[in-house]
Amino acid sequence: MKTLAFIHRNDTIFSVGDFHPVKTIFSHHELGTTVSPFLLLDHLGPGFLKPSHLRKGVDEHPHRGFETVTIMFQGELEHRDSSGGGGIIAEGDVQWMTAASGVIHKEVFSETFSKQGGAFEIVQLWINLPAKDKLNPARYQSLKKADIPVLQLNDNAGTVRVIAGQYAEKEGIAKTHTPMTVLDIDLKAGRTAIFPAKEGDSTLIYLRTGRLQFDAKDENLDDQALAVMSSHGEQVQVTALKDSKFLLLSAAPLNEPMNAKGFFVMNTYTEILQAYDDLKAGKFIQEVETE
């Protein structure tokens, strides 16, 4: 069984574009390759959008060399990209965007949600790509709530949404470049459950709300904090001290050099400079594969 290595917490609240409140729970700037292939996790909200005719969000910006996974817990986003594509990410949906060789996109609250207003909560995860895949064509996977497998835990202890990887007999619908597990878990107070994680994996648990315990001798994990588990051992056992909602992320580290600047995550500084040159030359505007 994996043990708790350390708890990481960042309580700084800021804005990303018009999105507020936002917390960067962790990033590669702080943790480096300790949590590879995971790069960053932003938690937007919980918040409330007042009804408005303005389309608040983040205007056009580029990405290259990694993936963004946007999980909508409440609210509704509209996505538009440089190829002219786009769509709605509704409550319970997940968008898995592989920026790869380059894409320019914008993310704003949908027209309908903007006009009516309401509660919103979004988690966006950045995942690094292996060097061999960094210049692949960009791709979008629209994972609808109804299509994401949900499994009931034993004795009505809670539920698990399998976004990527496998849990029990359920397999996630997201296509990943390396083997990876992404689970959205709801565990009731007083219940204990065991979740999959392999020897050597980077395994993270992000607690949106609640309180979790891994071992009686360990520090408890509280709201909006990140548990980084040991790479040694298999599986993770957690006990909910309160009703808890959390994400479990587990994947093998890439063990490759990383050089990152702004919206670009590559392997070398030369590749970063090339990304800026390609952006200026308009090479990020291209067809995007959608699934």
Side-chain angles (χ1 to χ4, degrees):
M1 201 70 64
K2 289 183 180 291
T3 57
L4 176 67
F6 63 91
I7 289 175
H8 181 76
R9 187 174 189 98
N10 185 357
D11 290 322
T12 302
I13 297 174
F14 62 102
S15 298
V16 175
D18 297 325
F19 291 132
H20 183 87
V22 180
K23 288 183 181 179
T24 294
I25 305 304
F26 77 88
S27 79
H28 56 87
H29 297 296
E30 303 162 293
L31 300 183
T33 57
T34 302
V35 293
S36 173
F38 306 111
L39 294 167
L40 173 147
L41 188 147
D42 278 349
H43 191 166
L44 289 66
F48 189 88
L49 179 70
K50 294 180 179 179
S52 172
H53 290 289
L54 298 176
R55 303 291 301 283
K56 292 186 175 182
V58 179
D59 207 349
E60 290 187 346
H61 57 283
H63 290 303
R64 172 177 277 186
F66 64 99
E67 303 181 292
T68 66
V69 180
T70 304
I71 306 172
M72 292 294 302
F73 293 105
Q74 288 182 291
E76 190 173 85
L77 283 181
E78 182 176 354
H79 165 268
R80 293 291 171 191
D81 66 67
S82 52
S83 73
I88 298 294
I89 314 171
E91 185 172 316
D93 293 349
V94 176
Q95 184 197 63
W96 199 295
M97 184 187 88
T98 305
S101 59
V103 68
I104 301 171
H105 76 147
K106 65 187 295 184
E107 301 153 295
V108 296
F109 288 117
S110 71
E111 183 176 4
T112 299
F113 184 70
S114 296
K115 288 180 178 178
Q116 70 185 23
F120 68 88
E121 183 182 5
I122 309 162
V123 165
Q124 186 170 92
L125 172 69
W126 289 16
I127 302 172
N128 203 3
L129 286 171
K132 66 181 181 61
D133 295 321
K134 283 187 176 292
L135 295 181
N136 287 352
R139 179 178 71 184
Y140 295 115
Q141 299 177 73
S142 179
L143 313 179
K144 297 301 182 183
K145 178 181 179 180
D147 298 326
I148 296 173
V150 180
L151 186 131
Q152 297 290 327
L153 294 172
N154 292 336
D155 300 322
N156 198 32
T159 59
V160 179
R161 291 206 309 159
V162 187
I163 297 171
Q166 189 166 353
Y167 179 73
E169 74 277 11
K170 301 290 186 180
E171 188 166 346
I173 57 175
K175 295 179 180 179
T176 64
H177 288 78
T178 59
M180 182 175 305
T181 299
V182 178
L183 305 179
D184 176 20
I185 301 164
D186 191 333
L187 187 62
K188 294 182 180 179
R191 302 304 184 94
T192 298
I194 295 175
F195 299 103
K198 296 179 180 179
E199 173 75 28
D201 274 7
S202 298
T203 302
L204 314 178
I205 292 179
Y206 173 57
L207 180 60
R208 290 168 49 219
T209 180
R211 177 175 289 174
L212 294 177
Q213 183 182 69
F214 303 100
D215 189 282
K217 68 179 185 296
D218 289 330
E219 179 184 356
N220 294 332
L221 185 68
D222 291 313
D223 286 358
Q224 299 190 356
L226 179 81
V228 179
M229 309 305 292
S230 169
S231 61
H232 299 297
E234 296 186 349
Q235 302 183 312
V236 177
Q237 178 174 294
V238 299
T239 298
L241 302 181
K242 296 180 180 178
D243 287 350
S244 297
K245 299 179 185 294
F246 57 98
L247 295 172
L248 182 142
L249 317 171
S250 192
L254 295 182
N255 294 322
E256 295 177 346
M258 182 176 69
N259 199 297
K261 180 71 173 178
F263 297 109
F264 307 138
V265 181
M266 303 301 290
N267 297 101
T268 67
Y269 182 61
T270 300
E271 291 171 330
I272 294 291
L273 295 178
Q274 186 63 55
Y276 279 105
D277 287 344
D278 289 347
L279 179 63
K280 291 176 184 177
K283 295 182 180 180
F284 279 34
I285 302 174
Q286 56 183 293
E287 283 296 318
V288 177
E289 298 176 2
T290 57
E291 297 182 6

